[in-house]
Amino acid sequence: MKKLIFMTAIPIGIISSCFAGEPHWAMNISAGTNIVGVTLNELDNIRAYRSTDEYLYDWDPKIATSVYLSFTPEYYITPKFSLSTGLRITNTLSKYESNYSYFYYKYKEDGCDTYYSRIKSIDQSNFYVGIPLEFRFTIRGTDRPSPYIRAGAVLNFRCSSSTKTNLYRNDIDYTPDTDNIIPTADNFAMPVYCAAGCQIGHQKSFGVEIQFPYTVAIGSMSSFGDTNNFGGGIQITYQFAKNKSEE
Amino acid sequence: MKKLIICMVAAGLFAACEKSDSIDNSIWIADPDDSGLPKYTEWGYNTFGAQMGTSYFSSCWRDTPFTMEWHDNDSTLELTMNGCQTYKGRYEWLIKEDMSLTIIIPCDSVIDSFKKLYLLNGKFFDLTNPDIKVLVRRDNNPQEIVSDIRSGNFYFKRVQMLYVDENFEKVIVSGTFDIRYVRDGEKTWLSDGRFDLGVTQNLFW
């Protein structure tokens, strides 16, 4: 009986405390960076350098790195629960390279003539405009460092891409055309993540959080492979125009 | 202290060394439908293979598994594929014996240089043609002329002049082959054969 009362009272107490206080708005400006692993796809125009039993494409583990800036109004339903959405601009960088000095890339075929280029790496940058949607639960809302946990997703729409090919030999007077052969990243991608952070400073205006796990659940943010591996990130936030009531 | 410095310098030198991917190496990409055969490719991976009953005739991961030779006297081109006969053991592939297959084909054009191999692009040869010779050698035994060929073909599906960084590098010769013949009353065949060879000056005589 005591156990039943104990197990019932605690969740009721937590839930009821969450609804104390009045709803209010805040505005966030955030900057952050994420890293996620890339599972490379086979590209038709890249020559293999190892036999099947030596792992065909035994590249080093590859990552895609994103940096972003967000502008997100946040609505505190209660001092502990809040929703935010807004605008995020993201730039994602990924690289295709071998763990040798170069790889062979077939860039042209002309009758019986075939042309390879020795390439050190191919760098790609994808620019996205996205709509984040986040839920935050503030663990302690009193006027001291306030830890919180957050879950979110971003609907990212690719606006532009650029590719740079780094040749092995700099004295070659040509640039192989990789744009038509390297596939473009998906036009739509949706990263999802969980985060744990802390709001600090006067009126808890500053926030620092660690995002983990971070993964791209839908689509890929790299042309070179899938970005649905687990990664992480870090974000700093400045929150202003607060008019909250303290708990 | 001296030993530590020497070790650090050695480590630095090793780290500074570039690892280069040699285009002359043999690269075995297993056929997804039959791991005893190399996948048909046109990259100059220096591999070949064919089914041979319950075993396989293949290049056996040798870096230079072939040679080519032009005979001026009778205008024939000789291609010798040096490999081995393999079979699947319980856990790994096992070598039964060394084996080589030589095809001597008459050519309408003079191919006295490896750079003229492009003339074979798309050429199909019927091995039952009496002007074409097929020889097989097993282990250290002398080469045997295959005399009773029931059917067979050798197809140079694609010949490519390969340029790397705009410089001519080699000729890639890729294609398929199969042959059915009778040897000492025994029916033998090499089927579903494929080859992908990178020919340089050193491999063309």
Side-chain angles (χ1 to χ4, degrees), chain A residues 206-244:
Chain A
F206 290 96
V208 179
E209 70 181 38
I210 305 277
Q211 296 173 354
F212 183 81
Y214 172 93
T215 184
V216 182
I218 297 175
S220 176
M221 294 175 72
S222 171
S223 293
F224 305 128
D226 297 324
T227 49
N228 55 3
N229 302 296
F230 283 123
I234 188 168
Q235 175 181 293
I236 56 172
T237 303
Y238 180 76
Q239 190 176 75
F240 62 98
K242 286 173 71 168
N243 185 28
K244 68 180 183 69

Side-chain angles (χ1 to χ4, degrees), chain A residues 52 101 107 109 112 114 116, chain B residues 19 28 30 160-161 163 166:
Chain A
T52 300
S101 305
Y107 69 93
E109 289 175 297
C112 281
T114 298
Y116 292 175
Chain B
K19 292 184 287 184
W28 180 278
Q160 306 170 69
M161 308 296 285
Y163 295 83
E166 302 277 286

Side-chain angles (χ1 to χ4, degrees), chain A residues 42-53 56-57 99-109 111-119 167-169 172 174, chain B residues 17-31 39 42-46 61 118-119 121 158-167 169-170 172 196:
Chain A
E42 285 187 30
L43 292 181
D44 291 337
N45 288 46
I46 304 290
R47 188 178 191 272
Y49 77 97
R50 281 192 172 186
S51 300
T52 300
D53 60 348
L56 174 60
Y57 282 90
N99 56 354
Y100 281 73
S101 305
Y102 51 82
F103 57 89
Y104 291 98
Y105 174 75
K106 180 167 62 178
Y107 69 93
K108 189 168 76 170
E109 289 175 297
C112 281
D113 295 339
T114 298
Y115 297 85
Y116 292 175
S117 177
R118 287 184 295 177
I119 294 182
L167 299 178
Y168 178 69
R169 283 181 61 183
I172 302 293
Y174 78 102
Chain B
C17 287
E18 284 190 331
K19 292 184 287 184
S20 62
D21 161 30
S22 172
I23 203 169
D24 297 324
N25 291 347
S26 174
I27 296 173
W28 180 278
I29 310 300
D31 189 320
K39 185 180 175 183
E42 294 175 355
W43 285 97
Y45 284 149
N46 286 336
W61 309 280
Y118 71 90
L119 294 168
N121 186 45
R158 186 149 183 236
V159 179
Q160 306 170 69
M161 308 296 285
L162 178 64
Y163 295 83
V164 177
D165 292 340
E166 302 277 286
N167 294 320
E169 182 82 17
K170 59 168 66 177
I172 296 175
D196 182 17

